[in-house]
Amino acid sequence: MRIVPFIIFSLITAALIIILNTSLVLPAPLGKLLSPQHGIWQNAEPVNEDFTANLSFPQLAGKVNVYLDERLVPHIFAEQENDAYFVQGYLHAKFRLWQMELQTLSAAGRASEVIGDVALNHDKEFRRLGMVYAAENSLKEVEKDPLIKAECDAYTAGVNAYIEGLTESQLPVEYKLIGYKPEKWSNLKTALFLKYMSYDLASQEDDFEMTNAKNYFSKEDFAILSPAMKDSADPIIPKETVYPKPKVEIIIPPSADSLYFNNSAPITITKQKPDKDNGSNNWAVSGKKTQSGFPILANDPHLGLNLPSLWYEMQISTPDFNVYGVSFPGSPGVIIGFNDSCAFGFTNGGRDVRDYYEIKFKDDSRKEYSFNNQWRKTDFRFEKIKIKGQPDYMDTVAYTVFGPVMFDKNFTGNRTATNKNYAVRWKAHDPSNELKTFYLLDRAKNYSDYQAAIVNLHTPGQNCVFACKNGDIAIRTQGEFPAKWKGQGDFIMPGIDSSYMWQAMIPMDEIPFQHNPERNFVSSANQLPADSTYPYYLGSSYTPYRGITINRRLNTMNIITIKDMKILQTDNYNVFAEMATPIFLKNMKEQELSNEEKKYFEILRTWNFKNDLDSKGATVFYLTWEHFEDTVWNDDFAKAPKVIVRPSESTLLEAVLKDSSFKFLDNINTSQTETLADMVTSSFKKAVIELKEAESKDKLEWAKYKDTKVQHLTKLEPFSRFHLPIGGGTHCINATKSNHGPSWRMIVSLTPKTEAYGVYPGGQSGNPGSKYYDNFIDTWVAGNYYPIWIMKPSEVNDKRIKWKMSFSK
């Protein structure tokens, strides 16, 4: 009888061996994960962790001292410039290595190597978009520039110096959870990271959706639903600015206006897209409007709210420059910040620099395609995608004169019909050296230096704000943008000849800009760069409302202080609601409302248009507008192709403000003619159903309903922060949504002794087991800031210094 217990014990032992030493149950062997010496327990950082270190590396030319303050912000003092970048790379890797690797693996289309075939579609799409191809082209440009190449080489060496010294127990917890080890960094990875930012900020397009809409609706209706210019536009460069005659004369094909009107089958391609609200606010006010008599600059980029944060705060000081601000883990230099002379910041330009062309191949081999009445040979790029636990996947991508063929029979974009091929023309594919922008800005001393720096920024296009201690303020809607005719690139274009190709880039001296304007401030908030008198087509995907609020406030403000700028940067006023709510109040059929519905209507009536955290009116308005949009558009789009773009909020709002009998208010599925009052009342009644449910769950207050969170990049709940009590919203200066918002708030007063404040929703450490992982979030939520300490070499004994790291050869 002893054989039975023996067999059971043996089976249990075998099972434990398998569970603890293989990846059959978890991505990493459970035994390793739970190992006291090397497992996840080692990532629990002591509260009093000592970051003091004395390190030697043969790559260094001199000494570098790093002083870590009470917020774990490093102040780097280097005798040699490139040593500073070496140490920056080392620190980025020390505190953010897993984040750096995840972002570059994703950018390169290599996520399947780590997490398996669940990521294969992502990897195929990014390979076919040409992310690596784009990074390689940029790297060639970087390596032509001795200064930027040396900067990148030093940074890469610093990252690798940290990686080479890592023990298994020191691996970030995410590596342990997925059973992966870091690979060496390279300059290509830095280029890939920057292309990932280009994807996030310069990849927003609706070409397939717009083509379907143009094909589905009549020419007249399409013009109503997709106006090129909004009435509410308050452009970055003020209206009535006089622009010179354009240097580029664009030849418009005869079929440009009529193409795709009612003459093609719907396109059913779907693909990944960055958040349409990736944007920002920035402004600079002249000393003529400030209490101190010196300029003040403010910037808050709006991006995904993630842990670890996108940003890493630091100071870099060398004999040639002294700069403070936020950096990208994965890239050298300071991206948004200030130095001893000036400050600089960015908002997203929003221009469409990614277009699609229909390609006609000679046959299924794709070896030749039709172009300008001849068969041109196709170039091929062979993409080997490694898949964890499975054989490699080989994808052969055809490259044309336009760029890679992103969608064909081998990568359908979720289509059922695969008889059409689409190549992508993306400005990010072109050689460029964006790192030079930040390299020069970090050293800029005046407006001329600022100009020389930002002309190197090609993609993504950005609105670059500037202020200097000598009193100068400026903004430039910078980028290398194709000169387009009206509507070019909004739709799929024919790729059989050169007539629809980009014909030229807008000359740099014709890029809209302002320098010391009469109104004594400059600003941008992702609105239209210029009005309709600007000679080149700018597209229509812009958000006007934050810009309206900012300009309205700055126009009336004088004797401005830092405190005023903090209040403005965290302002929750919703100007879109200010414009839209009167429509609801004027047209509501109150006599048809129940007592319960009247209760919510009274909340809306008495609302002050502020999306404050405890506001109930903000929730009532939000849901009412959501249902109003659906009630107006659902009938007209019910039979439309599934891949389609609906009109923007501003299109509907402006249409109804201009015409209370707007044709799309009528429900085409009923015999009667619906009025604006019918639609408003019906929408409100639908909203009340959701409002009652929200109130029953104690979620009627705006912050509870919006439910802002800052999630770990893997969405792991234990590493994330939920239910943050913060107001704001899409159309507020404080543009905080559920998982998106101000990723870094910075205010700089350029007085003789710089006074600056900043905060971001995260922490300096990427280790979820560290108290420095998310310790800034509560300050950010409260709308508060940290005073920024620009450390001087003489302050090495300052009490704010908690640890010192010494680097030498």
Side-chain angles (χ1 to χ4, degrees):
M1 295 298 294
R2 293 179 182 177
I3 191 67
V4 174
F6 177 77
I7 291 171
I8 293 172
F9 179 77
S10 298
L11 290 172
I12 292 172
T13 302
L16 286 172
I17 290 170
I18 292 170
I19 291 170
L20 294 174
N21 293 284
T22 72
S23 303
L24 293 178
V25 178
L26 291 171
L30 187 59
K32 283 191 174 183
L33 284 176
L34 300 179
S35 165
Q37 291 79 26
H38 308 294
I40 57 175
W41 316 113
Q42 291 294 319
N43 297 98
E45 192 175 278
V47 174
N48 60 347
E49 176 77 3
D50 187 0
F51 295 100
T52 303
N54 289 291
L55 302 163
S56 298
F57 298 101
Q59 299 96 323
L60 294 173
K63 291 182 180 179
V64 183
N65 287 321
V66 178
Y67 302 93
L68 293 160
D69 65 25
E70 68 270 23
R71 294 194 295 118
L72 205 64
V73 174
H75 304 262
I76 301 171
F77 289 84
E79 295 175 345
Q80 303 289 333
E81 178 180 304
N82 287 326
D83 287 352
Y85 296 125
F86 177 95
V87 170
Q88 183 183 25
Y90 185 93
L91 293 172
H92 278 172
K94 179 176 175 64
F95 293 109
R96 300 291 187 85
L97 180 60
W98 177 80
Q99 169 191 5
M100 293 164 63
E101 185 143 49
L102 175 73
Q103 290 170 334
T104 52
L105 285 171
S106 179
R110 294 179 54 199
S112 298
E113 292 182 33
V114 180
I115 60 175
D117 62 2
V118 67
L120 182 57
N121 200 59
H122 163 88
D123 289 349
K124 288 163 69 175
E125 183 171 323
F126 269 45
R127 299 285 184 103
R128 284 176 163 264
L129 176 57
M131 291 288 282
V132 179
Y133 167 72
E136 288 169 350
N137 286 340
S138 284
L139 186 58
K140 289 174 188 174
E141 205 68 14
V142 164
E143 300 205 332
K144 293 176 187 175
D145 187 322
L147 289 174
I148 307 306
K149 183 180 186 304
E151 176 190 35
C152 288
D153 287 345
Y155 179 85
T156 292
V159 175
N160 287 331
Y162 179 76
I163 291 172
E164 287 162 9
L166 264 181
T167 63
E168 189 173 350
S169 64
Q170 292 172 321
L171 281 174
V173 66
E174 294 89 351
Y175 285 106
K176 297 175 182 178
L177 289 172
I178 61 177
Y180 185 76
K181 289 188 177 180
E183 62 183 25
K184 280 196 169 186
W185 196 257
S186 67
N187 291 353
L188 178 62
K189 286 196 168 191
T190 293
L192 275 165
F193 173 78
L194 293 173
K195 290 305 170 186
Y196 198 66
M197 294 309 300
S198 290
Y199 168 80
D200 221 24
L201 300 174
S203 189
Q204 184 59 251
E205 44 73 27
D206 295 308
D207 296 25
F208 295 105
E209 294 86 348
M210 287 285 283
T211 300
N212 282 339
K214 191 174 184 180
N215 182 44
Y216 181 75
F217 291 101
S218 70
K219 186 174 183 178
E220 295 71 26
D221 284 351
F222 182 79
I224 294 170
L225 298 172
S226 301
M229 185 71 68
K230 306 292 192 297
D231 292 343
S232 59
D234 186 359
I236 294 169
I237 308 305
K239 294 178 180 179
E240 301 178 1
T241 297
V242 178
Y243 299 99
K245 182 181 177 181
K247 294 178 180 178
V248 177
E249 292 188 19
I250 305 167
I251 301 171
I252 305 175
S255 61
D257 289 335
S258 59
L259 199 67
Y260 292 111
F261 273 125
N262 310 109
N263 65 356
S264 64
I267 303 167
T268 57
I269 286 174
T270 57
K271 56 189 182 300
Q272 300 176 71
K273 286 194 175 187
D275 194 304
K276 65 182 179 63
D277 290 327
N278 282 342
S280 310
N281 305 315
N282 66 18
W283 61 82
V285 293
S286 162
K288 294 176 182 178
K289 288 178 76 73
T290 67
Q291 186 179 73
S292 68
F294 291 90
I296 299 177
L297 181 144
N299 191 195
D300 58 302
H302 305 155
L303 297 165
L305 301 178
N306 297 313
L307 287 169
S309 168
L310 175 69
W311 302 107
Y312 181 79
E313 192 175 345
M314 66 196 320
Q315 178 184 357
I316 302 175
S317 184
T318 77
D320 295 325
F321 71 98
N322 178 38
V323 65
Y324 191 110
V326 284
S327 59
F328 285 140
S331 177
V334 164
I335 307 300
I336 295 174
F338 58 94
N339 58 37
D340 292 337
S341 303
C342 57
F344 45 90
F346 299 88
T347 67
N348 197 23
R351 305 277 273 277
D352 179 11
V353 294
R354 178 174 161 184
D355 294 338
Y356 291 89
Y357 292 84
E358 187 175 333
I359 301 299
K360 181 182 178 182
F361 286 115
K362 188 175 183 178
D363 53 42
D364 280 352
S365 72
R366 301 178 298 156
K367 290 180 179 179
E368 293 178 281
Y369 62 98
S370 179
F371 186 74
N372 283 343
N373 297 313
Q374 61 182 357
W375 293 110
R376 179 174 288 208
K377 285 190 176 181
T378 307
D379 293 321
F380 289 101
R381 186 178 177 108
F382 303 99
E383 299 285 359
K384 180 193 284 188
I385 301 176
K386 296 180 179 179
I387 307 171
K388 184 177 182 181
Q390 294 186 28
D392 296 345
Y393 177 89
M394 289 298 302
D395 194 12
T396 304
V397 184
Y399 274 68
T400 68
V401 67
F402 300 99
V405 177
M406 192 166 175
F407 301 103
D408 58 20
K409 63 178 182 178
N410 295 328
F411 185 68
T412 65
N414 301 311
R415 291 177 292 169
T416 51
T418 60
N419 60 323
K420 292 193 175 183
N421 312 286
Y422 300 104
V424 60
R425 173 70 175 103
W426 187 26
K427 192 67 189 69
H429 289 154
D430 295 354
S432 59
N433 186 5
E434 275 74 25
L435 277 174
K436 192 164 188 174
T437 302
F438 309 110
Y439 180 91
L440 294 175
L441 279 176
D442 289 353
R443 294 156 173 75
K445 293 180 170 57
N446 51 46
Y447 177 68
S448 295
D449 289 348
Y450 155 78
Q451 285 183 300
I454 61 173
V455 293
N456 295 285
L457 183 58
H458 291 188
T459 309
Q462 298 283 290
N463 305 306
C464 312
V465 72
F466 168 83
C468 192
K469 292 193 175 187
N470 67 9
D472 280 339
I473 60 171
I475 196 165
R476 185 176 170 91
T477 62
Q478 175 60 33
E480 190 170 41
F481 304 117
K484 294 184 174 184
W485 64 77
K486 183 180 177 181
Q488 186 183 7
D490 290 351
F491 319 98
I492 307 303
M493 294 184 283
I496 57 171
D497 59 33
S498 59
S499 59
Y500 277 80
M501 294 181 79
W502 299 346
Q503 296 170 20
M505 296 296 145
I506 298 174
M508 284 294 168
D509 59 357
E510 293 189 84
I511 297 292
F513 76 98
Q514 277 190 300
H515 177 214
N516 293 334
E518 211 172 290
R519 63 181 182 175
N520 292 315
F521 72 87
V522 295
S523 74
S524 73
N526 314 116
Q527 73 267 47
L528 198 69
D531 66 15
S532 58
T533 63
Y534 183 66
Y536 301 104
Y537 180 59
L538 296 168
S540 57
S541 299
Y542 299 97
T543 305
Y545 301 105
R546 283 180 286 109
I548 291 171
T549 306
I550 291 167
N551 288 347
R552 179 193 288 179
R553 294 284 300 279
L554 291 178
N555 263 314
T556 61
M557 293 173 72
N558 288 294
I559 319 175
I560 296 169
T561 64
I562 284 274
K563 183 180 178 181
D564 295 328
M565 294 292 90
K566 289 180 181 178
I567 293 170
L568 181 59
Q569 201 172 55
T570 56
D571 188 86
N572 290 330
Y573 190 79
N574 187 338
V575 75
F576 175 78
E578 174 200 298
M579 297 175 179
T581 301
I583 295 171
F584 298 148
L585 301 184
K586 182 180 178 181
N587 293 282
M588 191 72 69
K589 295 181 178 180
E590 293 186 57
Q591 70 277 8
E592 296 184 8
L593 300 181
S594 67
N595 288 335
E596 192 164 35
E597 289 166 342
K598 286 178 180 177
K599 178 187 77 172
Y600 293 110
F601 185 59
E602 188 60 24
I603 292 173
L604 181 64
R605 188 201 304 277
T606 57
W607 181 42
N608 61 2
F609 309 129
K610 291 184 177 181
N611 285 25
D612 291 336
L613 62 94
D614 59 352
S615 171
K616 296 178 180 179
T619 309
V620 175
F621 173 79
Y622 173 81
L623 285 172
T624 303
W625 179 264
E626 287 278 296
H627 283 285
F628 182 62
E629 279 192 303
D630 285 345
T631 304
V632 172
W633 300 130
N634 279 355
D635 58 316
D636 299 288
F637 283 81
K639 297 179 181 178
K642 298 303 179 186
V643 177
I644 202 165
V645 60
R646 287 198 176 196
S648 66
E649 290 179 315
S650 56
T651 295
L652 178 56
L653 175 58
E654 292 182 15
V656 173
L657 287 173
K658 281 193 292 188
D659 181 9
S660 60
S661 300
F662 179 51
K663 67 172 291 186
F664 287 95
L665 291 172
D666 179 41
N667 187 336
I668 60 176
N669 296 322
T670 65
S671 57
Q672 68 265 32
T673 300
E674 281 78 15
T675 65
L676 177 57
D678 292 331
M679 302 305 262
V680 166
T681 305
S682 172
S683 304
F684 185 71
K685 285 178 173 289
K686 293 172 186 173
V688 167
I689 295 171
E690 289 192 54
L691 290 166
K692 288 165 61 179
E693 183 181 359
E695 189 168 27
S696 71
K697 297 177 179 177
D698 190 26
K699 290 186 176 181
L700 189 59
E701 292 181 355
W702 178 237
K704 293 179 181 177
Y705 183 83
K706 176 165 63 79
D707 197 17
T708 296
K709 51 190 171 289
V710 184
Q711 287 183 284
H712 186 262
L713 286 167
T714 63
K715 310 302 181 189
L716 287 169
E717 289 194 14
F719 299 166
S720 305
R721 291 282 301 274
F722 295 96
H723 314 306
L724 301 175
I726 185 170
T730 302
H731 300 303
C732 306
I733 298 175
N734 173 21
T736 306
K737 301 195 302 179
S738 175
N739 59 358
H740 192 276
S743 60
W744 161 246
R745 291 188 180 124
M746 180 185 78
I747 299 169
V748 184
S749 179
L750 290 146
T751 44
K753 182 181 178 182
T754 306
E755 183 181 0
Y757 297 83
V759 67
Y760 66 82
Q764 289 288 92
S765 176
N767 178 11
S770 169
K771 73 174 186 178
Y772 298 102
Y773 173 67
D774 62 355
N775 57 312
F776 300 165
I777 289 180
D778 292 340
T779 300
W780 175 84
V781 164
N784 294 326
Y785 296 72
Y786 295 106
I788 287 175
W789 177 35
I790 310 100
M791 181 182 168
K792 297 177 182 177
S794 60
E795 296 178 306
V796 295
N797 295 316
D798 192 283
K799 64 181 181 181
R800 286 169 286 192
I801 297 170
K802 298 302 178 184
W803 306 277
K804 178 183 176 182
M805 300 176 71
S806 298
F807 294 77
S808 60
K809 191 167 184 175

